[in-house]
Amino acid sequence: MSDKREAADAAETARRARFSKLPERIRLEDTVEERAAIAPDPAKDTYNPDEWLVRYCL
């Protein structure tokens, strides 16, 4: 009977050592990852209205 009690005490001691305190706090800045939703497109801002006029109106 004492072996069971000693095993239970040892298990309780190990459990208290592991779970007796809360984990360290994580800063909000460490939980957020910022990156672009889409890859930058180099051809995005190359529209030239004069080129459009030359192609379709002349």
Side-chain angles (χ1 to χ4, degrees):
M1 180 94 152
S2 67
D3 290 336
K4 289 182 182 179
R5 182 170 300 273
E6 288 177 13
D9 289 341
E12 183 178 347
T13 303
R15 185 171 51 252
R16 287 190 184 267
R18 182 175 179 190
F19 298 111
S20 65
K21 63 179 182 175
L22 294 173
E24 295 182 21
R25 296 194 68 137
I26 300 174
R27 298 181 318 170
L28 182 62
E29 296 84 20
D30 295 338
T31 63
V32 178
E33 178 182 348
E34 294 181 8
R35 58 181 148 146
I38 57 173
D41 183 12
K44 179 181 175 185
D45 299 321
T46 59
Y47 176 73
N48 184 351
D50 294 332
E51 180 183 350
W52 182 85
L53 284 172
V54 169
R55 285 186 185 204
Y56 295 105
C57 294
L58 290 179

